[in-house]
Amino acid sequence: MSTADKDILESLYRRYYAGALIYMSGLCGDLSLAEDIVSEAFVKAYVTLPKESPSFKFWLYRVCRNLWLDHMRRQKRQCSDEALEFIPAEEMPESLLLKDERRKALWAAIGKLKPQDRELIILHYFSSLSIMEAAKCLHISYSAARQRICRLREILRKELEEQGYGL
């Protein structure tokens, strides 16, 4: 890898690492594993970035997800609802950033969602992918992703209101 490539990769790393780590830790529930996957994904994403890719960030998240799925297969586990079960807020790295009670309540509400819905919410709101990019990453249509996000926002709003966190 040339010096210019290293500089570009380092710049991309500084820009996208935190978001990718939040996404992966939300998926796999293991900060150490998430860090390993994200680090590996940066190099792989940079080397394999297709010319038609909408953005490096989108491609990075797709590579992260694929590496996580590969890890799950190697562990001879099925990529199922059980594999994506919610990680308690106090064990998530986000809890270091999310100290106020309302945000903890939000994470608890997100944890009650189906795994595929949780992943969509994490990709769009916490990893800052557009709805289109999140839809492509999850292999669903834009309209399906948009409808699910609207439905999920309403579910989360109601859940937070029930806990006394009115918006």
Side-chain angles (χ1 to χ4, degrees):
M1 190 177 281
S2 72
T3 304
D5 284 339
K6 288 179 184 176
D7 291 342
I8 292 169
L9 188 58
E10 184 178 329
S11 173
L12 291 169
Y13 193 83
R14 280 193 306 266
R15 186 170 181 185
Y16 298 119
Y17 179 79
L21 183 61
I22 288 170
Y23 169 54
M24 285 313 307
S25 62
L27 278 183
C28 67
D30 178 343
L31 181 58
S32 178
L33 175 61
E35 289 171 338
D36 291 345
I37 290 172
V38 170
S39 295
E40 182 180 347
F42 266 95
V43 175
K44 190 169 188 172
Y46 182 71
V47 171
T48 63
L49 181 68
K51 292 189 188 309
E52 69 277 356
S53 179
S55 72
F56 179 78
K57 182 178 181 180
F58 166 77
W59 185 245
L60 172 66
Y61 284 30
R62 186 172 240 179
V63 170
C64 282
R65 185 173 197 261
N66 289 338
L67 287 172
W68 177 71
L69 291 172
D70 289 346
H71 171 78
M72 295 298 289
R73 285 185 203 103
R74 280 192 305 273
Q75 297 298 316
K76 296 184 179 163
R77 292 185 220 158
Q78 293 287 343
C79 180
S80 64
D81 289 4
E82 294 80 35
L84 289 172
E85 281 305 311
F86 179 67
I87 304 120
E90 61 271 10
E91 294 177 17
M92 296 181 76
E94 295 86 5
S95 67
L96 300 174
L97 305 172
L98 308 175
K99 293 187 180 187
D100 72 295
E101 291 300 315
R102 187 173 181 181
R103 290 192 182 244
K104 288 181 182 179
L106 175 61
W107 275 104
I110 290 170
K112 293 177 182 178
L113 298 173
K114 294 178 192 170
Q116 63 271 24
D117 290 340
R118 187 178 5 191
E119 186 174 7
L120 179 60
I121 291 292
I122 291 170
L123 281 171
H124 181 60
Y125 289 107
F126 297 96
S127 297
S128 302
L129 287 184
S130 70
I131 294 174
M132 178 65 80
E133 291 171 328
K136 285 182 181 178
C137 200
L138 298 175
H139 306 288
I140 60 175
S141 70
Y142 169 78
S143 60
R146 191 185 59 181
Q147 288 173 348
R148 277 175 50 193
I149 284 177
C150 288
R151 179 179 52 82
L152 293 168
R153 275 196 309 240
E154 184 62 23
I155 290 169
L156 292 171
R157 184 187 63 75
K158 286 180 182 177
E159 176 72 23
L160 290 175
E161 283 178 354
E162 288 175 8
Q163 294 181 25
Y165 296 101
L167 303 175

